[in-house]
Amino acid sequence: MRRCRYRLCCLLLGAVLVTSSCGEPEIPEPGLTGGWITAGCEFSRRPATVTMGGRVLPATPPELEAAMARIDAGGRAEHAGSYAGLEVDQERVRAIVHRVPSAAFDDFIRQSAQDTCIVVRDTAHSLAELTGWHDRIVADLDAWQADGVRISSVVARHDGRGVEIGTRDVERAREAMPRRYGRTAPLIFVEQGPVVPLAEPGVPTAPQPGG
């Protein structure tokens, strides 16, 4: 009798485990926080250069450029909830990837990097999220113009910090726009006059001082 009770308990426990595993959605595993680097960063490399018009200019090595292209493509497609953007540090022969921590995307970065140096840094917002905010603000540009907020540029920052809004009316924008979009909207305001857009925006270059 005691053996039958034990077997019944085991069957019931197994049913509970199977039911819970089928009914609960899988939660994505967060990645490392605080940032990390790929194995390729263990090696020092001579900066690449190119001569144009008699001037020697910094360049991105083909291997690093290819790794950046793989990470950017995969980040935008399969890992859009994590990927924010990247920048190139030509002097140190490395790329910097900004992402919301994600174990799956971290694994993808390791594989895509091969033997190049990739520095991975935490951020709060993905490119997909910031693009949504960017498109919403752009759709409201006429309304903001009518309200006296002259917006010169709207850019989803590649470091995932937020959507940068260039305007001649910083104080007015800082007061009015959070009222419409919410106090938690990731908006960054900078003073800026009318601008001429670049014909071919390239990969941002990492600032040299600091890490």
Side-chain angles (χ1 to χ4, degrees):
M1 183 67 177
R2 295 172 66 182
R3 179 181 300 176
C4 293
R5 288 179 181 173
Y6 175 76
R7 291 178 62 187
L8 178 60
C9 289
C10 289
L11 290 172
L12 290 174
L13 177 59
V16 171
L17 291 175
V18 170
T19 302
S20 62
S21 64
C22 294
E24 293 294 330
E26 183 179 354
I27 300 175
E29 183 182 354
L32 296 173
T33 57
W36 57 277
I37 60 175
T38 61
C41 297
E42 300 293 331
F43 307 98
S44 60
R45 295 174 173 85
R46 185 185 300 275
T49 59
V50 61
T51 302
M52 296 181 62
R55 298 179 58 192
V56 178
L57 303 174
T60 305
E63 297 82 4
L64 180 58
E65 190 170 5
M68 292 166 59
R70 288 190 294 269
I71 293 170
D72 182 70
R76 292 174 183 271
E78 292 86 5
H79 304 281
S82 175
Y83 179 64
L86 54 73
E87 58 192 90
V88 61
D89 185 343
Q90 293 169 327
E91 182 177 335
R92 301 182 184 180
V93 197
R94 66 182 189 176
I96 301 168
V97 177
H98 302 273
R99 58 83 173 105
V100 179
S102 160
F105 189 36
D106 285 354
D107 288 341
F108 176 79
I109 293 172
R110 290 187 187 94
Q111 295 171 8
S112 301
Q114 296 182 358
D115 63 349
T116 63
C117 177
I118 306 294
V119 178
V120 182
R121 292 181 178 169
D122 298 349
T123 195
H125 308 283
S126 69
L127 175 61
E129 178 190 354
L130 295 184
T131 298
W133 283 107
H134 169 276
D135 294 347
R136 182 177 175 185
I137 294 166
V138 168
D140 294 339
L141 285 179
D142 290 342
W144 287 119
Q145 180 75 18
D147 287 346
V149 179
R150 297 165 294 178
I151 297 176
S152 303
S153 64
V154 182
V155 179
R157 289 180 58 109
H158 72 278
D159 58 8
R161 287 183 52 204
V163 175
E164 187 173 287
I165 298 170
T167 174
R168 287 174 281 177
D169 309 294
V170 172
E171 293 305 320
R172 184 173 179 82
R174 186 176 286 125
E175 178 183 354
M177 296 185 78
R179 285 206 304 266
R180 177 175 298 184
Y181 301 121
R183 296 293 172 183
T184 59
L187 307 180
I188 301 171
F189 302 98
V190 296
E191 187 169 354
Q192 184 180 67
V195 297
V196 178
L198 294 174
E200 294 184 7
V203 176
T205 302
Q208 298 308 319

